[in-house]
Amino acid sequence: SYEVTQPLSLSVALGQTARITCGGNNIGSRNAHWYQQKPGQAPVLVIYRDDNRPSGIPERFSGSNSGNTATLTISRAQVGDEADYYCQVWDSNNWVFGGGTKLTVL
Amino acid sequence: EVQLLDSGGGLVQPGGSLRLSCAASGFTFSNFAMSWVRQAPGKGLEWVSTISGNGGSTYYADSVAGRFTISRDNSKNTLYLQMNSLRAEDTALYFCAKEYYGYFDHWGQGTLVTVSS
C-alpha cells in the first residue's frame, strides 16, 4: 500500500517561511492535499490538488508537488499558523494520510 | 453553508457495537461521496471508510474491514457508521467528511468513541 511520510515537527521564526514536506514514491504523479488542524478542532482543507487554495484560505498558503516530494509553504508565518498539518493522497480507493507535522512559530 | 453534525459516540465495552450518525446540510447530499476519518488520542488522522453518493460503492480501511459498515440515507441527508466487534484500538474521535474527487473539503466536529471495560 502507498505510504507518505512527513517530519514530526518543524519550527519557524515569526514572519519567516515554513516549508512542510510530504514524501512518497513518485508522489508528483498524484494529487496531494493538505489539512490544518488546531488543538480541539476538526481539520480544515488548506490546499487541494497540489497547489489550489479553497476560498477563505490566505494567499500565504501555497503548495507544490514534484518527483518524490509534495510541499506546503506558509509565507510570513504567524502565531495563528501554529497547528498540525497533514498531507493526503488517494491511492486505489484508499485515502492515505501522512503522519502529520507539528508547526511551531517562534 | 455546508454543515456536518456528527453524533452517536460514547463508551462501549470491547466486543460491543455502536452506530455513528452524521447529519448533513447545505449541499445536495446525494451528489457527493461521504467518508469517516478517525483520530486516536494524540495521534494522526486515519481514513476509515467511504461511500459513493448513491450508496452503491463502499470502501474500507483494512483495519476495520469486516467489522464496520458504512451506509447512508439520502432521503434524510444522513451518513452512518455501524461499528461491531469494537476493540480498544478503535478508541478515537470520529469525523465525518464530505469527499470531493479524492480529498475532504468539509468536516464535522467529531464524535468520541471510547472502547474500554
Side-chain angles (χ1 to χ4, degrees):
Chain A
S1 60
Y2 193 79
E3 294 183 356
V4 291
T5 58
Q6 299 180 236
L8 281 176
S9 62
L10 179 69
S11 297
V12 63
L14 183 67
Q16 297 303 302
T17 297
R19 294 179 179 85
I20 301 173
T21 59
C22 178
N25 183 30
N26 199 25
I27 194 174
S29 66
R30 304 170 184 267
N31 288 318
H33 319 290
W34 292 91
Y35 305 88
Q36 176 194 68
Q37 186 181 32
K38 296 182 179 180
Q41 297 184 18
V44 172
L45 179 71
V46 293
I47 292 290
Y48 64 96
R49 294 183 200 149
D50 298 337
D51 57 4
N52 294 277
R53 274 179 295 105
S55 60
I57 300 302
E59 291 183 7
R60 300 184 298 103
F61 288 79
S62 62
S64 62
N65 187 10
S66 178
N68 293 321
T69 305
T71 303
L72 172 68
T73 300
I74 306 172
S75 304
R76 303 182 299 283
Q78 301 177 1
V79 172
D81 298 332
E82 284 201 340
D84 294 326
Y85 290 86
Y86 296 90
C87 63
Q88 178 253 314
V89 299
W90 181 89
D91 174 63
S92 300
N93 293 324
N94 282 276
W95 286 254
V96 181
F97 287 96
T101 299
K102 181 177 182 61
L103 178 67
T104 301
V105 180
L106 304 173
Chain B
E1 178 192 4
V2 172
Q3 291 195 342
L4 300 172
L5 186 61
D6 308 311
S7 63
L11 175 63
V12 61
Q13 293 188 341
S17 298
L18 207 58
R19 189 177 84 156
L20 307 183
S21 299
C22 172
S25 61
F27 63 103
T28 304
F29 184 68
S30 60
N31 285 354
F32 295 93
M34 295 293 295
S35 299
W36 291 97
V37 177
R38 69 184 180 182
Q39 186 170 36
K43 302 298 184 181
L45 301 174
E46 179 190 16
W47 169 73
V48 173
S49 183
T50 295
I51 186 169
S52 61
N54 64 7
S57 297
T58 57
Y59 311 96
Y60 298 94
D62 289 344
S63 58
V64 306
R67 300 187 299 122
F68 290 10
T69 302
I70 192 171
S71 62
R72 63 193 296 160
D73 185 336
N74 286 345
S75 69
K76 296 182 178 179
N77 288 353
T78 303
L79 174 73
Y80 302 101
L81 185 68
Q82 177 67 42
M83 304 185 295
N84 298 332
S85 303
L86 282 161
R87 307 166 179 167
E89 54 265 37
D90 295 318
T91 293
L93 188 60
Y94 285 73
F95 298 97
C96 72
K98 176 175 167 285
E99 199 272 358
Y100 190 72
Y101 289 102
Y103 60 92
F104 307 107
D105 60 354
H106 292 88
W107 297 66
Q109 83 288 352
T111 186
L112 181 63
V113 173
T114 303
V115 184
S116 174
S117 56

